[in-house]
């Protein structure tokens, strides 16, 4: 049996902010039969994650490609890898059967072929929607959890400032901080987002950074989560003046979620508990259909999304 597999490819390497015209939607035949002994499987993708860090792999060359394992540049015309949730439709891998729900590295496509050593695992939904495992129970959640509890290590009653507070990571950092007993201030890029932070997520204060004329007078101490603006514009710098860093004893600590995979079980246990008790509010921004992926991805850099951006494929 064979299917016509629609997939998104990179049409041109991206320098600067991405455009929808940088991508191309293609269709190619995919056999649903596998060679015995191949250890491969074919999955039908249900949800795919839309992540800003992918832009670094879409450039002809980037610091991420040079310094991090597993983040090679994407070749023009090839399928684009992404985290996703999928269902197995054919398997020659003894660890997986047809019908299994899995999570891991798939592609921006209707179907993906997973090699023998692919980064994929069976998914226990834990009673939650499948999409949660790409956001609040996925790498966005782990990034927020590790950054807040392992790196910032705040004490109860301390003040916490969260930039990009309505994004996939920032909103969770703020919610963890409130649960931890901190006073939380967030900034976002629209009045609608500011209102959401205060009324839905319980931030103590929030402001629209586009309307703020003097951030220095507003914030005296800053912990930074995310530098998405630098992905699209190398001329922008998220770091503060280095003399300020020295004289104010500010600590800057770079990290990736993959640095803290050892925390994953604690993160899942803690976050699941808060979700079941209604103490955390998942923020998801879900679009429908594979065709919407280029618009969804470019929208990350326009600030379109509220919470975790996901595309539902099937």
């Amino acid at each position: 049996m064979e299917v016509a597999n629609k997939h998104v490819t990179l049409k041109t390497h991206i320098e600067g902010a991405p455009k929808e015209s940088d991508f191309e939607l293609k269709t190619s035949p995919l056999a649903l039969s596998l060679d015995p002994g191949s250890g491969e499987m074919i999955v039908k993708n249900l949800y795919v994650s839309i992540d800003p860090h992918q832009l670094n792999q879409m450039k002809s060359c980037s610091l991420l490609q040079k310094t991090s394992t597993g983040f090679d540049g994407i070749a023009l015309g090839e399928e684009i890898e992404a985290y996703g949730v999928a269902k197995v439709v054919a398997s020659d891998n003894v660890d997986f059967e047809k019908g299994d729900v899995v999570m891991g590295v798939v592609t921006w496509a209707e179907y993906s072929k997973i090699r023998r050593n692919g980064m994929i695992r069976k998914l226990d939904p834990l009673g939650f929607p499948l999409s949660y495992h790409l956001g609040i129970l996925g790498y966005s959640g782990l990034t927020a959890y590790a950054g807040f509890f392992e790196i910032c290590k705040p004490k109860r009653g301390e003040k916490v400032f969260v930039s990009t507070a309505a994004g996939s990571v920032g909103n969770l950092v703020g919610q963890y901080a409130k649960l931890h007993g901190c006073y939380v201030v967030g900034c976002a890029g629209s009045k609608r987002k500011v209102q959401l932070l205060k009324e839905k997520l319980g931030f103590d204060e929030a402001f629209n950074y586009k309307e703020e004329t003097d951030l220095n007078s507003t914030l005296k101490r800053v912990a930074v989560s995310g530098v998405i603006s630098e992905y699209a514009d190398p001329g922008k710098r998220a770091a503060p003046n280095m003399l300020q860093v020295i004289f104010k004893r500010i600590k800057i600590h770079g990290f990736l979620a993959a640095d803290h995979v050892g925390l994953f079980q604690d993160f899942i246990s803690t976050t699941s508990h808060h979700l079941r008790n209604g103490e955390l509010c998942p923020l998801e921004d879900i679009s429908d259909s594979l065709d919407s992926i280029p618009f969804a991805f470019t929208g990350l850099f326009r600030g379109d999304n509220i919470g975790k951006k996901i595309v539902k494929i099937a």
Side-chain angles (χ1 to χ4, degrees):
M1 181 180 174
E2 188 177 271
V3 295
N5 186 31
K6 289 170 63 176
H7 53 279
V8 178
T9 67
L10 190 62
K11 189 175 182 180
T12 182
H13 284 121
I14 301 171
E15 304 302 332
K19 307 180 296 295
E20 290 179 66
S21 59
D22 295 326
F23 303 93
E24 186 173 7
L25 188 66
K26 293 184 176 181
T27 302
S28 58
L30 176 67
L32 295 184
S33 59
L34 297 166
D35 295 331
S38 67
E40 296 176 333
M41 62 181 178
I42 296 172
V43 301
K44 184 175 180 63
N45 296 318
L46 306 177
Y47 295 92
V48 291
S49 179
I50 309 297
D51 295 300
H53 74 78
Q54 292 173 284
L55 180 60
N56 295 292
Q57 293 175 266
M58 297 174 184
K59 298 179 180 181
S60 56
C61 183
S62 72
L63 186 61
L64 180 70
Q65 295 175 31
K66 293 179 179 179
T67 59
S68 300
T69 303
F71 292 98
D72 297 332
I74 298 169
L76 301 183
E78 289 191 358
E79 293 185 19
I80 297 170
E81 291 187 341
Y83 284 100
V85 175
K87 181 174 286 189
V88 177
V89 296
S91 177
D92 188 64
N93 188 318
V94 296
D95 295 324
F96 300 91
E97 297 179 355
K98 182 178 180 179
D100 284 345
V101 176
V102 296
M103 177 183 172
V105 178
V106 294
T107 54
W108 281 355
E110 291 179 324
Y111 295 86
S112 299
K113 180 177 280 190
I114 310 297
R115 307 298 179 185
R116 183 191 297 271
N117 296 319
M119 294 177 59
I120 205 94
R121 63 179 175 84
K122 290 183 182 179
L123 175 62
D124 178 359
L126 303 173
F128 298 110
L130 295 178
S131 58
Y132 281 21
H133 297 272
L134 294 178
I136 194 167
L137 294 174
Y139 273 106
S140 295
L142 179 60
T143 301
Y145 186 88
F148 183 71
F149 290 108
E150 288 296 306
I151 294 181
C152 289
K153 295 181 178 178
K155 298 176 183 178
R156 295 183 185 279
E158 286 191 324
K159 295 179 180 178
V160 173
F161 169 68
V162 185
S163 61
T164 321
S168 63
V169 175
N171 87 85
L172 294 173
V173 172
Q175 292 188 73
Y176 284 135
K178 285 299 300 178
L179 287 171
H180 195 63
C182 297
Y183 185 90
V184 181
V185 178
C187 74
S190 72
K191 291 181 179 179
R192 178 189 173 199
K193 292 179 179 180
V194 168
Q195 184 177 13
L196 178 144
L197 294 176
K198 296 171 72 173
E199 296 181 3
K200 187 171 183 178
L201 303 187
F203 280 53
D204 295 288
E205 292 291 343
F207 63 90
N208 183 347
Y209 66 85
K210 295 178 180 178
E211 297 177 348
E212 180 60 51
T213 58
D214 187 359
L215 287 175
N216 289 331
S217 66
T218 306
L219 306 168
K220 300 297 184 183
R221 181 180 178 186
V222 176
V224 179
S225 175
V227 287
I228 292 175
S229 61
E230 288 194 24
Y231 294 168
D233 186 351
K236 291 183 178 179
R237 287 292 176 264
N241 180 291
M242 294 311 293
L243 287 178
Q244 295 271 4
V245 172
I246 294 170
F247 296 141
K248 294 186 177 181
R249 283 79 167 175
I250 296 173
K251 180 179 180 180
I252 300 176
H253 187 139
F255 75 101
L256 297 175
D259 301 337
H260 297 279
V261 290
L263 291 175
F264 194 76
Q265 290 307 317
D266 286 341
F267 152 67
I268 288 291
S269 176
T270 300
T271 305
S272 297
H273 173 76
H274 289 315
L275 279 170
R276 291 192 177 97
N277 288 342
E279 297 166 336
L280 282 175
C281 176
L283 276 191
E284 296 183 310
D285 191 333
I286 300 179
S287 300
D288 285 317
S289 86
L290 184 79
D291 305 43
S292 71
I293 286 179
F295 182 78
F297 181 73
T298 56
L300 291 177
F301 302 90
R302 295 188 298 265
D304 292 353
N305 62 299
I306 294 180
K308 175 63 184 177
K309 188 63 190 178
I310 296 168
V311 170
K312 181 180 180 180
I313 295 179

